[in-house]
């Protein structure tokens, strides 16, 4: 702020030559007015409409009014114009009777401020004022360094004379781009920034109508003169206010502790992303307002002199108008985890973005809400989106308009106490085929209605490329017989260079015959070789196998959650069909009588069939015999025959006869073939009448056959 009659601009001197006596040198003031008011309006951030929220004070020459933003990229945005980048302006604009500030309720006020692009030549500034004077919406203080809110130090010996000219019963935050540090009454009213240790443009606060705010200075002995500075509280110093940018400002009132916290530059003007900013907290003395209702008026005042700047405000949140919140979360559906700041996710992971808008209360419904979405531009493929409302309504999100990660959609429903929430869900999939990590920045989306705006920011996270963990087994299929374990050797490798398999970090999972198997009991894993070999032996104990076909499925997951391909190992536990017979068997010694005779077996015969293939399997046993001969080659007249249990005699010499057929009824069947033969049945020796005495021998060929089940 500065005194408006003090000239601090470049002066161009023009030398005028006169034909009369002498030379006259006349200083001509040349003020180059860089009109950045229109530029500021065309670059406004997203804000809200202010219909019936503020009203200009009625004094003559008031520069303050509500104007429309001209930025084509924002919607429903009004601008409070306190001053418009011209010299010698003074403005004041105040909340209407329906929008007073309630000291009994905690509240947040957020806004964007613009002070033009005048640099160090900017003056005088503006002030955010809370007050309870008797002038209502017509209050205005003094001009110049007083910014329309403070008093004036016009050579008076009483601080109360200064404060009397200020807005009464008030507290103000000044946004002052110009230092007024004249320590001399002859310099006029230009000393309000003395003795505060200020180094440049600044923000500070105090009570304009309180005489204790003003500190007296004097000069002279007999004829004294006086001037004053203001005690600055809650200082944020050395700012670059008039740099052409919009600056975000947030004010938070804690009704319980009477603390007012203000934070400057706490949002990025380009992305709306939250920044730390600079903050100060003041404990308000509410008695200064002298209110019995706790309802006070608030608004902005401002002034320019020969030096000037914009004094523009775009509101996001006006207390009491709408109270609502927005939040943003991301869930990794593939791994069932929340994505927080710094979380690693992986190529191919399925993601759900959820934005929750919640209306808590307000004098108005939250209307004409436009979701101005800012999404990650790389690493995510967006698949679908929906919006659901508390009243049961829903609509689809049109993702076809996404460009550079941005798209907008107007919500079909307003939010109110009757319909107090909207949930925006966007489905996507991580996509990283680069071979390196993609770092996804936080992204801030705005939800701007005609009367309220709020933002929500997604966290930063990383998308790791899939290192292509591959599992191979050898053999790829296994055949075992009952009672034997099934084993196969697995090998894990990465397909992306730079990744090394660490055995101890691999988590192997298995299913056996469609059921999750317990590693260590159902399936045993034994790592082989070095700690980074990637090789293991998988063993399925015999008692875990069923007869017939088995299926072992193996999958590995590394420490980063990357999963290998699944490998299916068929295991055939086929059982065995086996014939056991004695190698030498004989018939009883018999004296030939010249008659045909059937000679019975000796007790040295043994013949059994073992079938471990399981119930329902069939087998058939056949036998054939050679001719019987002596050692000298004499052939027996006769040969081996098979006598059935119905006493039918079948010749076996060079002819296969059926000995037995059976269907297995258990998992392990052993059949003693001879047990069903009587002494005069089964295989016997038939000696014809012409047979000669001698020792004869021959060979029986047994054929045990599997009989297919139809």
């Amino acid at each position: 702020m500065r005194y408006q009659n003090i000239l601090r601009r470049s002066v161009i001197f023009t030398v005028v030559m006169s034909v009369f006596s002498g030379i006259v040198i006349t200083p001509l003031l040349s003020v180059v007015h860089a009109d950045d008011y229109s530029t500021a309006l065309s670059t406004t951030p997203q804000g809200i409409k202010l219909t019936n929220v503020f009203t200009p004070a009625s004094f003559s020459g008031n520069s303050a009014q509500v104007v429309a933003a001209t930025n084509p990229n924002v919607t429903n945005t009004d601008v409070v114009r306190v001053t418009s980048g011209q010299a010698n302006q003074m403005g004041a604009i105040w909340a209407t009777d329906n929008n007073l500030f309630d000291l009994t309720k905690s509240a947040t006020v957020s806004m964007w401020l613009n002070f033009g692009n005048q640099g160090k030549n900017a003056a005088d500034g503006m002030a955010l004022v809370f007050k309870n004077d008797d002038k209502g919406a017509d209050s205005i203080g003094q001009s110049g360094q007083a910014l329309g809110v403070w008093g004036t130090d016009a050579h008076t010996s009483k601080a109360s004379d200064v404060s009397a000219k200020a807005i009464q019963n008030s507290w103000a935050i000044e946004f002052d781009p110009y230092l007024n540090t004249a320590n001399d009454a002859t310099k006029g009213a230009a000393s309000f920034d003395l003795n505060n240790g200020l180094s440049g443009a600044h923000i500070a606060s105090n009570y304009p109508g309180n005489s204790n705010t003003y500190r007296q200075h004097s000069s002279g002995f007999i004829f004294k003169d006086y001037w004053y500075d203001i005690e600055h509280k809650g200082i944020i110093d050395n700012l670059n206010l008039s740099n052409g940018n919009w600056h975000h400002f947030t004010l938070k009132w804690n009704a319980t502790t009477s603390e007012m916290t203000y934070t400057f530059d706490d949002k990025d003007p380009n992305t709306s992303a939250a920044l730390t900013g600079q903050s100060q907290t003041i404990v308000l003395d509410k008695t200064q307002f002298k209110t019995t209702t706790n309802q006070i008026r608030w608004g902005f005042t401002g002034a320019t002199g020969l030096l000037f700047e914009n004094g523009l405000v775009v509101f996001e949140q006006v207390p009491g108008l709408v109270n609502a919140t927005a939040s943003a979360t991301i869930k990794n559906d593939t791994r069932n985890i929340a994505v927080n700041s710094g979380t690693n996710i992986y190529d191919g992971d399925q993601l759900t973005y959820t934005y929750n808008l919640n209306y808590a209360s307000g004098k108005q419904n939250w209307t004409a809400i436009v979701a101005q979405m800012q999404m990650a531009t790389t690493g995510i493929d967006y698949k679908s989106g929906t919006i659901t409302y508390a009243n049961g309504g829903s609509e689809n999100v049109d993702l076809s308009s996404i460009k550079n990660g941005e798209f907008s959609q107007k919500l079909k429903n307003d939010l109110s106490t009757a319909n107090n929430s909207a949930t925006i869900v966007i489905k996507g999939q991580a996509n990283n085929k680069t071979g390196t990590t993609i770092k996804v920045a936080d992204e801030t989306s705005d939800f701007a209605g005609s009367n309220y705006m709020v933002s929500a920011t997604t966290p930063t996270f990383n998308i790791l490329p899939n290192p292509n963990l591959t599992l191979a087994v050898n053999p790829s299929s296994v055949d075992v017989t009952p009672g034997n374990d099934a084993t196969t050797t697995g090998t894990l490798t990465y397909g992306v260079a730079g990744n090394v398999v660490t055995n101890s970090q691999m988590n192997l999972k298995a299913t056996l015959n469609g059921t999750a198997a317990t590693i260590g009991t159902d399936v045993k894993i034994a790592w082989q070789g070095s700690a980074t070999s990637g090789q293991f032996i998988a063993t399925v104990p015999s008692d875990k196998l069923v007869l017939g076909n088995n299926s072992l499925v193996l999958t590995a997951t590394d420490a980063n959650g990357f999963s290998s391909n699944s490998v299916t190992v068929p295991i055939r536990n086929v059982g065995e069909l086996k014939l056991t017979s004695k190698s030498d068997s004989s018939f009883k010694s018999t004296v030939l009588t010249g008659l045909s005779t059937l000679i019975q077996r000796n007790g040295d015969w043994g013949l059994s069939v073992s079938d471990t293939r399981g119930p329902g399997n069939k087998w058939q046993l056949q036998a054939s015999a050679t001719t019987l001969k002596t050692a000298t080659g004499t052939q027996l007249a006769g040969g081996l025959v098979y006598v059935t249990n119905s006493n039918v005699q079948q010749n076996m010499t060079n002819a296969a006869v059926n000995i037995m057929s059976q269907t297995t009824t258990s998992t392990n069947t052993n059949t003693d073939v001879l047990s069903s033969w009587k002494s005069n049945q089964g295989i016997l020796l038939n000696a014809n009448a012409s047979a000669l005495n001698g020792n004869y021998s021959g060979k029986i060929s047994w054929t045990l056959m599997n009989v297919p089940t139809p």
Side-chain angles (χ1 to χ4, degrees):
M1 60 187 173
R2 64 178 302 282
Y3 179 55
Q4 66 179 7
N5 293 325
I6 301 299
L7 175 62
R8 299 183 187 274
R9 296 190 63 84
S10 300
V11 176
I12 298 175
F13 291 92
T14 302
V15 178
V16 181
M17 304 295 295
S18 173
V19 296
F20 300 102
S21 59
I23 299 175
V24 178
I25 301 177
T26 305
L28 300 177
L29 177 65
S30 175
V31 179
V32 180
H33 181 195
D35 184 8
D36 53 13
Y37 171 64
S38 59
T39 300
L41 289 184
S42 68
T43 59
T44 56
Q46 179 63 53
I48 63 173
K49 297 289 289 182
L50 296 173
T51 305
N52 299 322
V53 176
F54 290 100
T55 182
S58 61
F59 65 88
S60 176
N62 185 5
S63 61
Q65 60 180 288
V66 176
V67 299
T70 60
N71 185 352
N73 297 317
V74 301
T75 59
N76 296 323
T77 299
D78 283 341
V79 182
V80 171
R81 188 193 76 186
V82 182
T83 59
S84 59
Q86 298 182 37
N88 300 315
Q89 289 185 323
M90 189 158 68
I93 194 165
W94 300 104
T96 60
D97 291 344
N98 292 329
N99 291 288
L100 301 181
F101 194 93
D102 188 344
L103 292 172
T104 66
K105 296 179 180 179
S106 296
T108 297
V109 188
S110 66
M111 66 199 77
W112 293 92
L113 307 174
N114 183 279
F115 303 93
N117 194 20
Q118 302 298 317
K120 293 183 178 180
N121 289 324
D124 286 289
M126 60 180 175
L128 173 58
V129 185
F130 296 81
K131 55 99 176 184
N132 183 42
D133 66 352
D134 57 6
K135 294 183 179 180
D138 291 325
S139 297
I140 188 65
Q142 302 302 305
S143 62
Q145 67 172 352
L147 304 182
V149 64
W150 307 106
T152 185
D153 57 347
H155 310 285
T156 178
S157 62
K158 296 180 181 180
S160 59
D161 291 342
V162 178
S163 63
K165 296 179 180 180
I167 293 178
Q168 300 300 297
N169 308 333
S170 65
W171 176 74
I173 306 172
E174 68 172 23
F175 303 89
D176 190 345
Y178 191 89
L179 280 181
N180 291 272
T181 55
N183 195 12
D184 186 343
T186 63
K187 299 293 179 63
S191 58
F192 275 180
D193 296 324
L194 270 176
N195 297 335
N196 285 290
L198 299 171
S199 59
H202 57 275
I203 298 170
S205 63
N206 213 326
Y207 304 99
N210 188 323
S211 61
N212 293 326
T213 295
Y214 304 90
R215 298 181 295 203
Q216 187 184 86
H217 304 266
S218 64
S219 64
F221 181 69
I222 297 176
F223 301 103
K224 280 194 172 185
D225 204 353
Y226 301 91
W227 63 98
Y228 293 83
D229 74 75
I230 290 175
E231 181 183 3
H232 288 53
K233 295 183 177 181
I235 296 172
I236 302 175
D237 191 20
N238 199 25
L239 301 175
N240 189 5
L241 293 179
S242 188
N243 60 357
N245 291 337
W246 284 89
H247 301 270
H248 196 264
F249 186 73
T250 301
L251 193 71
K252 291 189 175 182
W253 166 244
N254 187 321
T256 302
T257 62
S258 295
E259 290 179 324
M260 188 74 85
T261 299
Y262 47 87
T263 307
F264 185 73
D265 273 347
D266 56 342
K267 269 191 179 182
D268 188 307
N270 297 314
T271 66
S272 292
L275 301 174
T276 302
Q278 299 183 65
S279 296
Q280 287 286 358
T281 297
I282 299 294
V283 178
L284 281 188
D285 178 6
K286 292 187 292 184
T287 64
Q288 295 288 328
F289 298 115
K290 298 179 181 179
T291 175
T292 58
T293 65
N294 284 310
Q295 303 289 314
I296 59 175
R297 200 174 300 272
W298 64 291
F300 273 90
T301 65
T304 65
L306 293 179
L307 299 183
F308 49 82
E309 87 291 314
N310 289 336
L312 306 178
V313 186
V314 171
F315 279 95
E316 292 179 332
Q317 298 178 22
V318 172
L321 205 62
V322 172
N323 297 315
T325 59
S327 63
T329 60
I330 306 175
K331 182 182 178 183
N332 186 330
D333 297 325
T334 300
R335 303 174 193 281
N336 194 30
I337 60 171
V339 177
N340 298 314
S341 181
T343 295
N344 290 334
I345 69 170
Y346 312 105
D347 175 56
D349 284 357
Q350 301 292 329
L351 303 176
T352 296
Y353 286 71
T354 302
Y355 299 85
N356 288 307
L357 310 184
N358 290 286
Y359 178 94
S361 61
K363 299 171 184 174
Q364 301 176 6
N365 294 342
W366 189 6
T367 59
I369 304 168
V370 177
Q372 299 173 335
M373 307 302 295
Q374 182 68 56
M375 313 293 290
T377 57
T378 58
I380 306 293
D381 295 332
Y382 301 103
K383 304 295 185 180
S384 64
T386 58
I387 304 174
T388 56
Y389 298 94
N391 63 9
S394 65
E395 59 182 294
N396 291 326
V397 175
D398 181 10
L399 298 177
S400 63
S401 61
I402 291 182
K403 185 177 181 180
N404 297 324
E406 298 179 358
F407 73 95
S408 295
Q409 181 158 331
K410 183 177 180 180
L411 275 62
K412 291 182 178 179
N413 290 357
D414 296 339
L415 296 187
S416 62
T417 53
N419 180 37
N420 63 358
S421 69
T423 302
I424 303 172
V425 174
I426 297 175
K427 296 285 188 178
Q429 183 175 22
N431 182 358
N432 183 2
K433 303 297 188 295
T434 65
T436 60
T437 298
I438 295 176
K439 295 184 180 296
V440 179
D442 54 358
E443 299 288 356
T444 299
S445 297
D446 296 329
F447 304 93
S450 63
N451 50 2
Y452 188 81
M453 175 184 163
V454 67
S455 301
T457 302
T458 54
T460 60
F461 59 94
N462 304 310
I463 305 176
L464 277 62
N466 192 325
N468 296 326
L469 180 62
T470 301
L471 172 61
V473 295
N474 184 34
S476 58
S477 63
V478 179
D479 288 345
V480 295
T481 57
N484 293 307
D485 298 342
T487 62
T488 188
T489 298
T491 302
L492 288 166
T493 56
Y494 282 117
V496 175
N499 292 278
V500 177
V501 173
T502 301
N503 298 348
S504 61
Q505 295 180 354
M506 294 294 159
N507 180 26
L508 285 164
K509 294 183 178 180
T511 60
L512 183 61
N513 298 327
T515 301
T518 301
I519 300 297
T521 54
D522 298 330
V523 178
K524 297 179 180 180
I525 302 296
W527 290 97
Q528 306 295 301
S530 70
T532 57
S533 67
Q535 290 189 343
F536 62 91
I537 293 176
T539 300
V540 181
S542 60
D543 61 350
K544 303 299 181 181
L545 296 171
V546 299
L547 289 171
N549 294 325
N550 294 262
S551 177
L552 173 65
V553 180
L554 295 172
T555 306
T557 303
D558 67 10
N560 290 324
F562 288 115
S563 295
S564 73
N565 54 303
S566 294
V567 175
T568 300
V569 182
I571 301 173
R572 289 200 315 141
N573 188 19
V574 293
E576 185 178 29
L577 183 62
K578 181 179 180 181
L579 176 68
T580 302
S581 64
K582 290 188 176 181
S583 59
D584 294 311
S585 299
S586 61
F587 293 89
K588 292 181 178 181
S589 296
T590 303
V591 177
L592 297 177
T593 62
L595 298 174
S596 179
T597 304
L598 284 176
I599 302 173
Q600 296 180 355
R601 299 174 299 278
N602 276 322
D604 57 359
W605 284 65
L607 183 64
S608 63
V609 175
S610 174
D611 189 356
T612 58
R613 298 173 301 162
N617 286 285
K618 297 180 179 181
W619 54 266
Q620 185 179 65
L621 179 63
Q622 293 182 344
S624 63
T626 62
T627 57
L628 301 180
K629 297 179 181 180
T630 65
T632 59
T634 301
Q635 182 173 322
L636 175 68
L640 297 182
V641 295
Y642 177 71
V643 179
T644 68
N645 58 6
S646 59
N647 296 316
V648 175
Q649 183 175 304
Q650 297 175 322
N651 180 34
M652 294 178 57
T653 302
N654 298 322
V657 298
N658 291 328
I659 303 300
M660 179 178 283
S661 295
Q662 188 164 303
T663 299
T664 303
T665 59
S666 64
T667 58
N668 191 350
T669 301
N670 190 67
T671 303
D672 183 356
V673 177
L674 274 66
S675 65
S676 64
W677 294 352
K678 296 179 180 179
S679 60
N680 61 345
Q681 294 176 343
I683 296 177
L684 301 176
L685 176 58
N686 180 30
N688 294 338
S690 59
L692 301 176
N693 288 327
N695 291 322
Y696 295 88
S697 64
K699 181 179 179 181
I700 299 176
S701 295
W702 303 100
T703 302
L704 181 60
M705 298 179 294
N706 172 55
V707 178
T709 302

